[in-house]
Amino acid sequence: MEYRKLHGTDLTVSALGFGVWTVGTTWWGVREESEGIRLLQRALDLGVTFFDTADTYASGYAEEILRKALAQRRDDIVIATKFGYDIYNNPERPGQQERPHDWSPQYLRKALEGSLKRLGTDRIDYYQLHNPRLDAIRKDDLWAELERARSEGLIRAYGTALGPALNERQIEEGIETLRLRRAPTQIIYNLLEQVLGEQILPVAEQEGVSILARVPHASGLLEGTMDENTTFEPGDHRNWRMTTNARKKAWLEDGLQKVRQLEAEFLEGRTIGQLAIQFALRSPMMASVIPNIYDEAGLENYAGTFSARALSDAEYARIQELYAANFGLQTNLIGETIQ
């Protein structure tokens, strides 16, 4: 495993993170709690120390399962969670629809208290505004309250996690987080979807503040497990925005053509999933990537990234050449993948 400084904080995180939503919600299909606990514990055994969750995931259950799995090893892990969605006055909505936000300092305190209790801890290492817009990033009293909570030892550091879906408005949101707040930000970034990283990573380098990347495998396209006949379980959130079979078919065909070009050129000494992680970690300002981990095979594959053949400068340049040419395709549906 590799470990990197989360610049802008005093935290060090594993370069491979674990997004707890895959085991703490039913958005990726239904699984037994015991299976999720085993995966979380196995991840730590493999050197993963950075676990990213949120209070809104299954109305707090994705925080509770992290406590159940790893409470006895609290000092060995870095816990990141998120706040902002009002989970107390607004029930979970179908299809992963957004709940209303509450960015008041009073709600921050309520959310923080709830997360600490569910996580079974006396502090949160990295506390993130969950899918904020510019108004929240510019809300001085909210950030002042975060700083007060940090001074009290309830949180160690804070930043933003941008979303929910890939949207170019997040460029401004990410840059504002870095420049106005000098705080890290989490973005959607992978070798098929680079629009946010192209604009935000250079600013991160200028400001000396880290970035975190989620969905490094482009909603599964870069995991090496999809083909034209891939279907998702009824509860899998990737079904909810694929409004027609025709759209899903087009998305898969477009993406798989790109993936097959990558597989033809870059798989010597690594898997496609490992290549995707190596690419996302290319920038020294990228502290950690957070893939979607559903099973032990995927976890061990991704953990093996750091013993696989490294991505060379020439390979990176060639990937960027392919990306700039849209892999020779006339259409580009990858930017519409659901996140």
Side-chain angles (χ1 to χ4, degrees):
M1 185 57 62
E2 179 180 322
Y3 301 91
R4 296 188 176 193
K5 184 77 173 176
L6 183 61
H7 295 292
T9 79
D10 64 356
L11 301 172
T12 297
V13 297
S14 55
L16 179 70
F18 193 121
V20 182
W21 73 333
T22 57
V23 298
T25 73
T26 59
W27 297 344
W28 304 91
V30 177
R31 72 183 68 246
E32 295 293 329
E33 179 179 87
S34 59
E35 180 186 357
I37 289 173
R38 282 196 304 272
L39 273 178
L40 291 165
Q41 293 172 339
R42 179 60 179 152
L44 183 54
D45 290 341
L46 290 170
V48 175
T49 60
F50 182 59
F51 294 86
D52 181 56
T53 187
D55 63 1
T56 193
Y57 297 160
S59 298
Y61 174 71
E63 293 178 322
E64 293 174 2
I65 193 174
L66 188 56
R67 181 196 73 237
K68 293 176 181 180
L70 298 175
Q72 299 305 311
R73 300 183 66 180
R74 174 65 183 92
D75 292 338
D76 297 330
I77 65 176
V78 176
I79 293 177
T81 193
K82 311 180 189 77
F83 76 98
Y85 289 116
D86 183 356
I87 67 171
Y88 298 101
N89 298 305
N90 295 277
E92 189 168 7
R93 299 182 175 188
Q96 204 190 347
Q97 297 177 58
E98 287 190 88
R99 290 164 154 149
H101 281 117
D102 186 339
W103 298 117
S104 67
Q106 296 79 12
Y107 185 76
L108 184 159
R109 287 288 177 165
K110 182 175 183 177
L112 178 56
E113 180 181 352
S115 287
L116 288 168
K117 182 177 180 179
R118 288 186 293 271
L119 288 162
T121 185
D122 61 355
R123 83 279 185 191
I124 289 166
D125 300 304
Y126 182 55
Y127 204 35
Q128 302 159 94
L129 282 69
H130 199 176
N131 299 339
R133 283 26 171 201
L134 281 172
D135 62 333
I137 297 169
R138 293 171 176 169
K139 188 172 171 55
D140 289 339
D141 61 346
L142 173 65
W143 290 81
E145 195 68 23
L146 282 167
E147 183 58 26
R148 277 189 285 273
R150 190 193 66 80
S151 69
E152 295 166 15
L154 298 176
I155 59 177
R156 294 178 60 191
Y158 47 79
T160 62
L162 304 181
L166 182 63
N167 191 307
E168 290 192 15
R169 65 168 166 75
Q170 292 157 22
I171 295 171
E172 188 175 5
E173 293 161 2
I175 290 173
E176 195 82 346
T177 299
L178 295 167
R179 287 190 170 152
L180 178 62
R181 302 303 176 185
R182 293 195 54 77
T185 190
Q186 181 184 140
I187 64 172
I188 294 167
Y189 180 68
N190 58 69
L191 63 80
L192 298 181
E193 298 166 306
Q194 299 185 38
V195 60
L196 300 184
E198 287 171 333
Q199 300 297 317
I200 293 173
L201 280 166
V203 178
E205 190 164 358
Q206 292 167 11
E207 299 295 333
V209 179
S210 286
I211 302 298
L212 301 161
R214 71 177 184 279
V215 201
H217 295 105
S219 294
L221 285 168
L222 293 167
E223 291 172 355
T225 59
M226 283 190 177
D227 61 29
E228 287 83 357
N229 298 314
T230 292
T231 59
F232 306 120
E233 292 184 39
D236 193 307
H237 84 139
R238 286 170 290 188
N239 282 315
W240 289 326
R241 293 186 193 174
M242 294 298 167
T243 54
T244 67
N245 287 335
R247 179 176 173 181
K248 177 182 173 182
K249 184 173 185 292
W251 174 73
L252 278 174
E253 289 179 350
D254 178 86
L256 289 172
Q257 288 183 67
K258 296 175 180 181
V259 168
R260 284 168 183 153
Q261 289 186 59
L262 295 167
E263 289 174 333
E265 293 193 42
F266 301 106
L267 292 200
E268 182 181 352
R270 64 174 76 91
T271 67
I272 188 71
Q274 293 166 352
L275 173 69
I277 292 171
Q278 289 177 341
F279 178 88
L281 286 170
R282 179 73 178 187
S283 169
M285 302 315 298
M286 189 64 73
S288 185
V289 299
I290 309 168
N292 294 323
I293 296 170
Y294 330 99
D295 53 38
E296 191 164 342
L299 171 60
E300 301 220 5
N301 178 18
Y302 303 152
T305 297
F306 307 96
S307 58
R309 186 169 66 88
L311 183 66
S312 69
D313 292 343
E315 287 176 315
Y316 178 79
R318 173 58 178 157
I319 289 171
Q320 293 300 62
E321 178 184 344
L322 289 169
Y323 178 80
N326 193 34
F327 293 78
L329 303 182
Q330 297 302 309
T331 60
N332 185 16
L333 299 178
I334 301 303
E336 296 186 5
T337 58
I338 53 82
Q339 317 292 352

